[in-house]
Amino acid sequence: MPKENRFEIRAGHGQQLGANFDGKGVNFALFSAHAERVELCLFDPSGKTEIARLELPEYTHEVWHGYVPDLKPGALYGYRVYGPYDPENGHRFNPHKLLIDPYARELAGDLTWNEAHFGYELGHDELDLSFDTRDSAAFTPKCRVIDPDAFDWQDGSRPSVPWPNTVVYESHVKGFTQLNPAIPPELRGTFEGMGHKASVDYIKRLGITSVELLPVHWFPDDQHLLDRGLKNFWGYNTLGFFAPASRYYGPAGIQGFRDMVRAYHDAGIEVILDVVYNHTAEGNELGPTLSFKGIDNYSYYRTLPDQHRLH
């Protein structure tokens, strides 16, 4: 933990979850019905050094919140959440684990699998009823504050196709673009490739009204796949439901995702995102503590009748 904090934190509000920049600072709000306190951890631009730890000062309607004046877009952060570690009653709070904001709009860095990600001691006789005190921050992606006004959506309108006229084309960003010779090589496998004129024109010619993209939310590669030299293609183990998968970034970064959506909207084509909320990268009760499980396991997950195991 830093020796001193050079950041001020005020009460802020809990009306909008996540980290929201208002032009003068950033409001942080995190839902947790059972936490006892929450710490906001700020990091340097590399994401490796924690530069401040600020306790969220207010709790309103089960939302912890605070406002940091003068904090700018690009700031990196994560949370440490305090409360009972009582798996038998559904609670798995462990402040030694840096947690990802479920409402983060962008994640920076990769997830490096490490035993420190687990809230319990791997190999312990009591399994997940044990408690692990290793710090996971060095191995965890950091959340990044974005500027919501940095992109010009022009008139902000989007297509609204009547259901009787809807023709859905299900597609995968990388699968659709990686080998397409009509797309520049540097854009293949990216949001920018999916939004390239060649892609949009082709889909338009087919008479498609609505493109449904398979998971584009941030997801890690499972360790068992990495051990075999493989990566997760489909993405059904989401870690950040509001953060685009950085593996699909092209030269423009997150801007490429916005450009892609606008390109389809300009062509009169809806963009639908495939989301499966019960598939997360934390797995069952023996999985890692990366976000939801450490923020409020009992609220975010459905537990079996014994409160211990996750359904």
Side-chain angles (χ1 to χ4, degrees):
M1 179 177 177
K3 293 182 179 179
E4 60 181 4
N5 288 327
R6 54 185 176 85
F7 295 88
E8 176 190 358
I9 189 163
R10 302 172 184 169
H13 63 81
Q15 297 173 359
Q16 185 177 6
L17 296 174
N20 295 283
F21 177 66
D22 65 2
K24 297 180 179 179
V26 180
N27 191 85
F28 295 89
L30 181 74
F31 166 82
S32 181
H34 300 96
E36 295 172 353
R37 66 187 177 100
V38 175
E39 289 178 337
L40 168 68
C41 301
L42 300 177
F43 290 82
D44 73 349
S46 72
K48 297 179 180 179
T49 302
E50 186 178 328
I51 58 176
R53 192 174 295 190
L54 308 168
E55 187 169 333
L56 296 185
E58 296 291 334
Y59 184 60
T60 307
H61 303 307
E62 301 185 337
V63 174
W64 297 85
H65 53 89
Y67 180 85
V68 182
D70 301 320
L71 197 65
K72 300 290 194 297
L76 302 181
Y77 72 99
Y79 289 113
R80 295 183 189 273
V81 182
Y82 294 75
Y85 188 82
D86 185 11
E88 291 179 305
N89 288 300
H91 302 304
R92 298 176 180 273
F93 295 99
N94 187 333
H96 300 285
K97 313 306 169 185
L98 186 77
L99 304 174
I100 291 170
D101 181 358
Y103 283 79
R105 309 291 175 78
E106 186 173 20
L107 297 185
D110 295 318
L111 179 68
T112 303
W113 289 112
N114 188 279
E115 291 187 0
H117 284 305
F118 293 81
Y120 65 96
E121 294 184 29
L122 289 176
H124 195 284
D125 290 343
E126 295 185 348
L127 298 174
D128 61 310
L129 299 183
S130 63
F131 186 75
D132 187 88
T133 60
R134 286 172 288 189
D135 194 324
S136 66
F139 314 104
T140 303
K142 309 305 182 293
C143 309
R144 178 178 281 135
V145 177
I146 68 161
D147 182 355
D149 298 322
F151 185 74
D152 181 11
W153 288 102
Q154 297 177 353
D155 62 2
S157 64
R158 59 184 179 181
S160 181
V161 183
W163 274 114
N165 302 332
T166 297
V167 181
V168 177
Y169 185 101
E170 185 180 71
S171 186
H172 185 283
V173 169
K174 184 173 182 178
F176 184 83
T177 63
Q178 186 65 39
L179 300 178
N180 189 341
I183 298 173
E186 68 274 15
L187 301 184
R188 295 174 191 170
T190 72
F191 293 125
E192 291 163 76
M194 192 73 205
H196 189 269
K197 187 176 185 301
S199 300
V200 177
D201 288 351
Y202 172 77
I203 290 174
K204 185 76 171 178
R205 287 197 302 272
L206 293 178
I208 303 301
T209 68
S210 311
V211 171
E212 179 182 353
L213 298 178
L214 275 68
V216 296
H217 316 90
W218 206 100
F219 62 92
D221 295 305
D222 309 89
Q223 185 63 61
H224 70 89
L225 293 176
L226 295 174
D227 291 342
R228 297 163 57 191
L230 302 173
K231 290 193 173 184
N232 186 316
F233 181 76
W234 298 111
Y236 287 104
N237 60 338
T238 306
L239 185 54
F241 286 103
F242 293 90
S246 56
R247 66 184 65 206
Y248 301 142
Y249 281 2
I254 194 172
Q255 185 85 351
F257 178 86
R258 298 162 175 159
D259 288 336
M260 173 193 71
V261 173
R262 193 170 68 182
Y264 281 99
H265 285 181
D266 288 347
I269 299 172
E270 295 177 315
V271 178
I272 301 171
L273 302 184
D274 186 344
V275 187
V276 183
Y277 287 109
N278 62 323
H279 288 192
T280 80
E282 293 182 309
N284 63 12
E285 69 274 9
L286 297 179
T289 296
L290 305 170
S291 182
F292 309 99
K293 191 178 291 182
I295 295 170
D296 192 343
N297 179 74
Y298 191 72
S299 293
Y300 280 106
Y301 289 113
R302 179 183 177 186
T303 58
L304 292 176
D306 62 6
Q307 311 279 356
H308 174 208
R309 291 174 294 158
L310 302 186
H311 182 58

